[in-house]
Amino acid sequence: MTDQVLAAIDGSQFSEGVCDYAAWASLAMDAPLTLVHVVDNHSEVPEEQNLSGNLHFGARERLMKELSELDEQRAKVNREQGKLMLEAAKERAIEDGVSDPVTRQRNGTLVESLLELEKEMRLLVVGKRGETAHQASGHLGSNLERVVRELHRPILMVPKTFKRPEKILMAFDGSKTARKGVEMLARSPLFAGTECHVLIVGAETAERRSELDWALSTLREAGHQAEGAIRAGDVDEALQAYEKEHSIDLLVMGAYGHSRIRHLLVGSTTTAMLRGSRIPVLILR
């Protein structure tokens, strides 16, 4: 199947939000839901801890054997923990109304596993931070940064607690690919009945006013209540201010072209917008 909603489940406190948002998306789009857990048995092994260098031959052999056995035990425990997580996620998705969610466990790294599953995705749902990220930090973690940069499917990055989106905001720059994003947003069953806002960040010109009018009319013609604005300033600051003023529930951004928005999303460092957002962010590709 190539139309699945895939939810990346781990042991972090964001997994319940991932489950609930994935179930909402699955039901709204009438798409199958697959819950995925990736077992990375090498992610927590510090490479620098070589304990065998100064041991005589017999002791070194015994130590290496014991370390190998410990690795096998750890891998088994990780697999069992993953199965329990997936079962709990499946039960939660069923409680949310999904009739037959599928669970899959894979071995390897998160990014490589998701890239292998990319052709099956219609939408990927991930937590704002992963299991190994420092929970008090604003940093998203290198894994999630790589997922955003390397996958070419829409990615919904979610907080810990689910809230059904009723007001959504799209960051719009008027480019050809951004127009495709507006058209996708207008016809998506995921946002049927939602109030749509469009924000262009930059100096107000006749051209930008025309671009905004086109976006709003496209959304209105599709049956959405729509409003928007043009604001000067930094993209992340302008989006955050608008989000707070209008009680936005979900932010839509496009990671394409060579726009300021794409640079914001796929630059060399994780941006303040993604780090600081307390609402879900849908990244269109």
Side-chain angles (χ1 to χ4, degrees):
M1 291 183 290
T2 58
D3 62 345
Q4 300 176 62
V5 173
L6 261 70
I9 301 297
D10 63 13
S12 75
Q13 57 183 309
F14 289 82
S15 285
E16 290 185 355
V18 169
C19 229
D20 293 340
Y21 276 102
W24 162 73
S26 171
L27 293 169
M29 298 192 296
D30 193 23
L33 172 60
T34 298
L35 305 158
V36 178
H37 176 257
V38 179
V39 180
D40 185 352
N41 291 318
H42 303 289
S43 60
E44 299 176 3
V45 180
E47 295 179 2
E48 67 273 12
Q49 288 189 3
N50 184 351
L51 305 177
S52 60
N54 297 321
L55 300 173
H56 62 78
F57 183 76
R60 185 173 186 271
E61 288 294 302
R62 287 195 301 274
L63 177 60
M64 296 307 291
K65 182 180 179 181
E66 289 175 5
L67 289 174
S68 177
E69 291 173 351
L70 286 172
D71 282 344
E72 291 176 7
Q73 292 172 12
R74 184 165 62 88
K76 182 178 180 180
V77 168
N78 288 343
R79 287 194 298 271
E80 292 304 314
Q81 285 180 333
K83 288 177 182 177
L84 291 174
M85 290 178 203
L86 286 172
E87 283 303 311
K90 181 175 181 177
E91 290 178 10
R92 190 176 183 96
I94 291 172
E95 290 174 1
D96 288 339
V98 180
S99 59
D100 192 23
V102 174
T103 61
R104 297 177 67 174
Q105 189 174 70
R106 296 178 67 92
N107 291 305
T109 68
L110 176 66
V111 178
E112 289 171 355
S113 298
L114 292 177
L115 286 171
E116 290 170 1
L117 295 169
E118 184 173 13
K119 291 182 179 179
E120 303 177 22
M121 296 178 194
R122 183 172 174 184
L123 173 69
L124 172 66
V125 184
V126 295
K128 188 173 179 293
R129 297 190 192 93
E131 186 173 9
T132 58
H134 192 284
Q135 299 303 324
S137 170
H139 186 57
L140 285 171
S142 58
N143 274 342
L144 188 50
E145 276 191 66
R146 284 190 59 201
V147 168
V148 170
R149 285 201 299 267
E150 297 185 26
L151 252 66
H152 294 85
R153 292 289 188 272
I155 301 169
L156 180 60
M157 188 181 69
V158 304
K160 292 178 285 188
T161 305
F162 174 75
K163 181 183 185 299
R164 182 178 296 277
E166 296 176 356
K167 293 183 180 181
I168 64 174
L169 168 64
M170 181 167 190
F172 184 61
D173 64 5
S175 66
K176 182 178 179 181
T177 46
R179 286 176 172 247
K180 289 182 181 178
V182 169
E183 291 167 347
M184 182 190 308
L185 182 64
R187 65 176 183 265
S188 173
L190 193 60
F191 301 116
T194 60
E195 180 180 315
C196 296
H197 293 247
V198 178
L199 181 65
I200 296 177
V201 180
E204 181 158 357
T205 63
E207 181 181 3
R208 287 200 174 105
R209 174 54 59 182
S210 175
E211 291 167 351
L212 179 61
D213 290 343
W214 173 86
L216 295 178
S217 65
T218 299
L219 291 165
R220 287 167 183 159
E221 286 170 9
H224 293 279
Q225 179 183 342
E227 59 180 280
I230 300 170
R231 293 191 178 179
D234 292 333
V235 175
D236 54 350
E237 292 177 0
L239 287 169
Q240 286 184 11
Y242 191 98
E243 169 196 318
K244 291 176 182 177
E245 289 169 20
H246 295 271
S247 301
I248 299 298
D249 300 314
L250 185 145
L251 173 65
V252 182
M253 305 180 78
Y256 34 52
H258 297 284
S259 67
R260 293 170 68 192
I261 294 172
R262 182 183 188 278
H263 179 74
L264 179 74
L265 285 169
V266 296
S268 59
T269 59
T270 306
T271 67
M273 185 68 240
L274 296 182
R275 289 197 305 267
S277 179
R278 296 180 180 275
I279 62 174
V281 180
L282 176 62
I283 301 166
L284 300 180
R285 305 307 300 265

